[in-house]
Amino acid sequence: MRNIKLTISYDGTGYSGWQFQNNGRSIQQEIEETIEKVFKEKRRVMGASRTDAGVHAKAQSANVKLSAPVPIDRIPAALNAALPASIAIVKAEIVPASFDAQHKAKSKRYRYYVVNSIHKDPFGDRYAWRMPYPLSVPAMKKEAKALIGKHDFKSFQASDTRERASVRTIYKLEVKKKGDTITFDIEANAFLYNMVRNIVGTLIDVGRGYLPAGSTEKILALKDRKKAGPTAPARGLFLIEVKY
Amino acid sequence: MRNIKLTISYDGTGYSGWQFQNNGRSIQQEIEETIEKVFKEKRRVMGASRTDAGVHAKAQSANVKLSAPVPIDRIPAALNAALPASIAIVKAEIVPASFDAQHKAKSKRYRYYVVNSIHKDPFGDRYAWRMPYPLSVPAMKKEAKALIGKHDFKSFQASDTRERASVRTIYKLEVKKKGDTITFDIEANAFLYNMVRNIVGTLIDVGRGYLPAGSTEKILALKDRKKAGPTAPARGLFLIEVKY
């Protein structure tokens, strides 16, 4: 049986997230059901990242074990034809039996889009958090720096989760503005539940002037979710890359 | 009572089109119901173009008569807050009582997007017709030229409609390629039902080599829908501008 790595792109709008949920269709479910339909094999597809409800992916990674003797380069087209338009298999590769998309990931890269505009936009608003208020990009850049490195990110973890260890390492956290689009590029060895969206929500509070200089360092030290900013909405978040 | 011109942008995915239909929600219905909810007035909103199910608009024009004494520049935000995310009022202007968005339009401009790629894309495919086959842009440009001007477009009219007069004037029909995106920009005094999508479908048949040089001129002369190409899917079509 071959171990196959899949690179997957999806528009997460309307889905309950990557992982099976009782309250809606998940990306994982769509792919597993499609594999069963196309290859007549009931298999578990393990994703690198359990993206949350409404979060998108340019390149999620997953692996699946398959017996079907179909040529590897035919797999994307075979699955894509049967998958919904909102999910695409970008690539399929044969990997060693030991490869595990979830546990072997070295780092993950996410991008969050904020559109700093008063203008409602039916096309752009689908994939971004639109902010009609003035935002200081220099202030956000400055506060972002304090989050880079190895820290206990307990303050940025969803309050309803109970992960034992909340220390993670952020390798990169870049804030850029181009036109009225502000992007937050974050790479870390791993992320806590809602961590990216809580960091973005906090930096937006900095940009609006609600939080003063030095806030992110203080928030980290307090290890209390209530001290950080709001959770940015899912629709602006994209999983960009999983590195191995 | 003021006569108000609205400029409206919408993502037509999932809607039954601009106009009321029995088989689904229409854009017109969403706007009329929102006006009734926000201003407590039951009014007809007349659109310049009856865009079909699934067709999008960057700038549809419409007019509505309103008694509400709300400042004109407050109307977009008031309606936008109550409309779905997929519909935005871009602008509201007071116009003379005689202004009628539908009958006073001098020309309309549409753009159709084709993505010439083998790669399924959950984001781009939502707003374009993806064509995995090689397409000759020079051949499409050449055949497009024969459609410019005043012609009887009966061959490009949906076969299930019975409009008496099918003569229309195309002012502009440009085919451009940038990266793997091919755009068709069409401006005409007015359009028959499905006319843009039938022209695009025919030009794509030209691009694929199914129809030889000289085809569009012949198809026009035959005045027979069956001689033209297929109807391009709605999702690639955008109403760009209505000129008065």
Side-chain angles (χ1 to χ4, degrees):
Chain A
M1 198 144 65
R2 297 177 296 177
N3 189 16
I4 293 168
K5 182 187 173 204
L6 299 174
T7 304
I8 307 157
S9 175
Y10 47 85
D11 179 336
T13 312
Y15 285 102
S16 64
W18 167 263
Q19 203 166 32
F20 281 102
Q21 298 285 344
N22 290 325
N23 59 347
R25 303 285 298 169
S26 71
I27 310 289
Q28 185 184 30
Q29 184 180 8
E30 295 284 358
I31 296 171
E32 291 186 3
E33 288 178 9
T34 301
I35 285 173
E36 193 177 352
K37 193 173 138 194
V38 173
F39 299 125
K40 316 291 174 214
E41 293 180 49
K42 199 169 172 63
R43 303 291 176 200
R44 176 97 316 176
V45 177
M46 293 304 296
S49 178
R50 284 163 293 173
T51 59
D52 206 5
V55 173
H56 318 290
K58 287 283 187 180
Q60 163 80 289
S61 289
N63 71 299
V64 60
K65 298 203 163 135
L66 274 187
S67 317
V70 57
I72 188 74
D73 56 346
R74 297 286 297 277
I75 288 178
L79 294 177
N80 284 336
L83 281 165
S86 47
I87 304 175
I89 307 297
V90 176
K91 199 156 78 171
E93 303 158 84
I94 299 168
V95 285
S98 61
F99 178 83
D100 174 320
Q102 194 184 345
H103 298 104
K104 299 281 182 178
K106 287 221 163 55
S107 75
K108 290 166 196 168
R109 197 154 64 85
Y110 282 90
R111 180 173 293 159
Y112 196 95
Y113 289 91
V114 166
V115 173
N116 196 192
S117 167
I118 59 163
H119 302 293
K120 186 176 176 180
D121 173 1
F123 306 100
D125 291 356
R126 187 176 166 90
Y127 303 113
W129 187 15
R130 192 166 53 80
M131 267 284 133
Y133 319 101
L135 293 170
S136 165
V137 177
M140 292 192 286
K141 279 177 190 271
K142 197 165 166 290
E143 288 306 301
K145 272 189 192 145
L147 298 171
I148 297 171
K150 189 174 179 179
H151 301 286
D152 185 340
F153 286 96
K154 202 172 161 52
S155 294
F156 296 95
Q157 179 177 26
S159 50
D160 54 346
T161 54
R162 284 192 202 182
E163 296 209 32
R164 273 165 293 250
S166 47
V167 173
R168 298 290 185 275
T169 303
I170 293 185
Y171 301 124
K172 195 175 96 168
L173 174 40
E174 283 183 357
V175 186
K176 284 182 190 166
K177 185 165 186 180
K178 193 178 173 181
D180 57 11
T181 301
I182 300 169
T183 51
F184 299 80
D185 277 290
I186 310 189
E187 183 176 348
N189 63 337
F191 290 90
L192 302 166
Y193 188 60
N194 278 173
M195 181 170 149
V196 180
R197 291 162 59 190
N198 291 342
I199 286 175
V200 171
T202 303
L203 291 176
I204 288 293
D205 269 4
V206 167
R208 292 185 68 175
Y210 289 177
L211 292 172
S215 290
T216 48
E217 200 181 338
K218 273 186 204 148
I219 293 167
L220 275 175
L222 290 166
K223 295 178 192 173
D224 179 359
R225 171 69 189 93
K226 291 189 288 294
K227 305 299 179 189
T231 306
R235 64 180 176 280
L237 184 58
F238 290 74
L239 171 59
I240 300 293
E241 191 186 1
V242 183
K243 293 183 183 172
Y244 292 95
Chain B
M1 198 144 68
R2 295 177 299 176
N3 189 17
I4 293 168
K5 182 187 172 200
L6 299 174
T7 303
I8 307 157
S9 175
Y10 48 84
D11 179 335
T13 313
Y15 285 103
S16 64
W18 167 263
Q19 203 165 33
F20 280 102
Q21 298 284 346
N22 290 325
N23 59 345
R25 302 284 300 169
S26 71
I27 310 290
Q28 185 184 30
Q29 182 180 9
E30 294 284 357
I31 297 172
E32 291 186 2
E33 287 177 9
T34 301
I35 285 173
E36 193 177 351
K37 192 173 139 196
V38 174
F39 300 125
K40 316 293 174 211
E41 292 179 50
K42 199 169 171 64
R43 303 291 177 199
R44 176 95 319 175
V45 177
M46 292 304 297
S49 178
R50 284 163 292 173
T51 58
D52 206 5
V55 172
H56 318 291
K58 286 284 186 180
Q60 163 78 291
S61 289
N63 70 299
V64 59
K65 298 202 164 138
L66 274 187
S67 315
V70 57
I72 188 74
D73 56 347
R74 297 286 298 277
I75 288 177
L79 294 176
N80 283 336
L83 281 165
S86 48
I87 305 175
I89 307 297
V90 177
K91 198 157 79 173
E93 304 158 83
I94 299 168
V95 285
S98 61
F99 178 83
D100 172 320
Q102 193 183 348
H103 298 103
K104 298 282 183 178
K106 286 219 165 58
S107 75
K108 289 165 197 166
R109 196 153 64 84
Y110 282 90
R111 181 173 294 158
Y112 195 96
Y113 289 90
V114 166
V115 173
N116 197 190
S117 168
I118 58 163
H119 302 294
K120 186 176 177 181
D121 174 1
F123 306 100
D125 292 355
R126 186 176 166 90
Y127 303 112
W129 186 15
R130 193 166 52 81
M131 267 286 133
Y133 319 100
L135 292 171
S136 164
V137 177
M140 292 193 285
K141 279 180 191 267
K142 196 162 166 290
E143 288 306 300
K145 274 192 189 143
L147 297 172
I148 298 170
K150 189 174 178 178
H151 301 287
D152 185 339
F153 286 96
K154 200 171 163 50
S155 294
F156 296 95
Q157 180 177 24
S159 49
D160 54 346
T161 54
R162 286 193 199 181
E163 295 208 33
R164 272 167 294 253
S166 47
V167 173
R168 297 293 186 273
T169 303
I170 293 186
Y171 301 124
K172 195 174 97 169
L173 173 40
E174 283 182 359
V175 186
K176 284 181 191 165
K177 185 163 187 183
K178 194 178 172 182
D180 58 10
T181 301
I182 299 169
T183 51
F184 298 80
D185 276 292
I186 311 190
E187 183 176 349
N189 63 336
F191 289 90
L192 302 166
Y193 187 61
N194 277 173
M195 182 169 148
V196 180
R197 291 162 59 191
N198 291 341
I199 286 174
V200 170
T202 303
L203 291 176
I204 288 295
D205 268 3
V206 168
R208 292 185 68 174
Y210 288 176
L211 292 172
S215 290
T216 48
E217 201 181 338
K218 274 185 201 146
I219 292 166
L220 276 177
L222 290 166
K223 295 177 191 172
D224 178 0
R225 171 68 188 94
K226 291 190 288 293
K227 305 299 177 188
T231 305
R235 64 181 176 279
L237 185 58
F238 290 74
L239 171 59
I240 300 293
E241 190 186 5
V242 182
K243 293 183 182 172
Y244 293 95

